[in-house]
Every structure is written in structure tokens, then in C-alpha cells.
Amino acid sequence: MSRIGLKAIKVPEGVTVTKNGDEITVKGPKGELTREFDPRIKFEEVDGEIHFSRSNEDDKALHGTMRANLANMIEGVVKGYKKDLKLIGVGYRATVKNNVLTLNVGYSHPVEMKAPEGVTVSASSATDVSVEGISKQVVGQFAAEIRAVRSPEPYKGKGIRYVDEFVRRKEGKTGK
């Protein structure tokens, strides 16, 4: 039994959820998100709450996933999502111009990354980067792509990491 899938989702004021075939559209104060859902999971809205149900027991994982995806869409159009990254290393810096992130992270050339549609990138300082948007998936994916440019290494701790990420340090070589 999917416990997550059985939880009801409360629809906040100012948010509309509409279903058109297999597509569910969520409109809110920050924007609009549309996603295609699996037809095996049934969706119904009663008294400002959304309930999901499945037709057979083989779709347990899908049941919880669909419910979590819709809950994330609703939270995104109401509050939005934000990921913060930090550049650690001598000479590492980031600049943003016209939603294009330019990273200087120890390569012979700067790395330029254009933010996907619906995502805004900002650099509050030379070493702090912030990715914001209404889609949890797109924000997380773009933040992961930024981190992958120079992921943190365990010996000196240099690289791009999430603000709340802990990088376990290793001991270097010992000389005799």
C-alpha cells in the first residue's frame, strides 16, 4: 500500500488544477506548469483536496510518484524552488549576464551555461550562485549541471558544491 499516494493534497487559494486527458495543468501566482500523468492512476478533486487512486496493486510506486509530482508542481507555482551553490577555490568566480552563467573554475577557458526557460540564475557575489524557478525538476537539473562543471574533489575541497553539501576530506600522501 502506497502511503504517500493515499495522502490528500490541499489546493491553496489562487491555484487551479485542471485535467485535460492525461495532462494536468497547475496555474498559480508564480506561473503555470503542465505535466503528462500515467492513465493508470486516477485523479479526482473534492472540496479543495486532490485524491489519487490506482486500479491494481502493481502500480504502488507509480501511485506515490504521481502524487508527489503533483504536490511539487503545486508548491512550485505557489512558492517556487531555489538551489544555492558555492564556488570554492583560488580564482574561482561566477558572473551572470542576460541569464547566461559564466564560470571561471580553473580551466583554460570560461564555461558559459545558458539557463533553461523558466529558470533565473543570479550571482550575489563572485563565489555564490543561486538558481530559481517554479519547476523542481528543471531547477535541480540545472543546478546539478552547474555542479558537474567542477564537482568538489576530496583532497583540497575545491570545486562547485551545494551550500548545504558536506564534502568528506581525505588525507593526502605522507612522506617519509
Side-chain angles (χ1 to χ4, degrees):
M1 168 143 106
S2 171
R3 294 184 203 166
I4 302 263
L6 293 176
K7 285 184 177 179
I9 302 172
K10 289 189 171 91
V11 180
E13 290 279 325
V15 175
T16 59
V17 180
T18 55
K19 184 173 182 179
N20 183 13
D22 292 338
E23 281 190 351
I24 295 178
T25 303
V26 179
K27 291 181 187 173
K30 288 196 173 256
E32 177 180 333
L33 289 172
T34 302
R35 186 181 196 124
E36 194 169 311
F37 281 81
D38 197 292
R40 294 178 287 178
I41 305 299
K42 303 296 178 235
F43 155 91
E44 66 181 60
E45 187 171 359
V46 179
D47 298 330
E49 286 189 340
I50 297 174
H51 299 275
F52 285 92
S53 61
R54 60 182 182 271
S55 54
N56 62 16
E57 288 298 308
D58 295 337
D59 300 331
K60 282 183 196 177
L62 190 63
H63 186 202
T65 302
M66 294 295 122
R67 187 251 176 226
N69 286 341
L70 185 65
N72 288 337
M73 289 169 65
I74 291 172
E75 186 179 336
V77 297
V78 172
K79 298 178 188 171
Y81 289 100
K82 183 177 181 180
K83 287 272 190 181
D84 295 319
L85 297 115
K86 188 151 192 72
L87 282 69
I88 297 175
V90 176
Y92 287 15
R93 64 185 182 279
T95 56
V96 178
K97 186 175 182 183
N98 297 334
N99 225 16
V100 175
L101 176 68
T102 304
L103 298 169
N104 292 310
V105 286
Y107 295 124
S108 61
H109 59 286
V111 178
E112 291 188 350
M113 303 178 80
K114 182 161 177 24
E117 191 175 320
V119 173
T120 57
V121 182
S122 60
S124 58
S125 71
T127 59
D128 294 324
V129 176
S130 174
V131 180
E132 295 182 72
I134 60 172
S135 173
K136 186 174 187 176
Q137 179 190 354
V138 176
V139 168
Q141 178 66 39
F142 189 61
E145 289 171 7
I146 293 171
R147 184 184 178 276
V149 169
R150 177 74 84 177
S151 52
E153 55 95 16
Y155 294 102
K156 291 185 179 178
K158 292 167 42 171
I160 303 171
R161 65 175 82 168
Y162 299 114
V163 168
D164 57 351
E165 180 180 7
F166 174 74
V167 176
R168 214 166 138 216
R169 301 286 298 272
K170 289 184 178 179
E171 189 177 324
K173 290 182 184 179
T174 56
K176 283 193 174 188

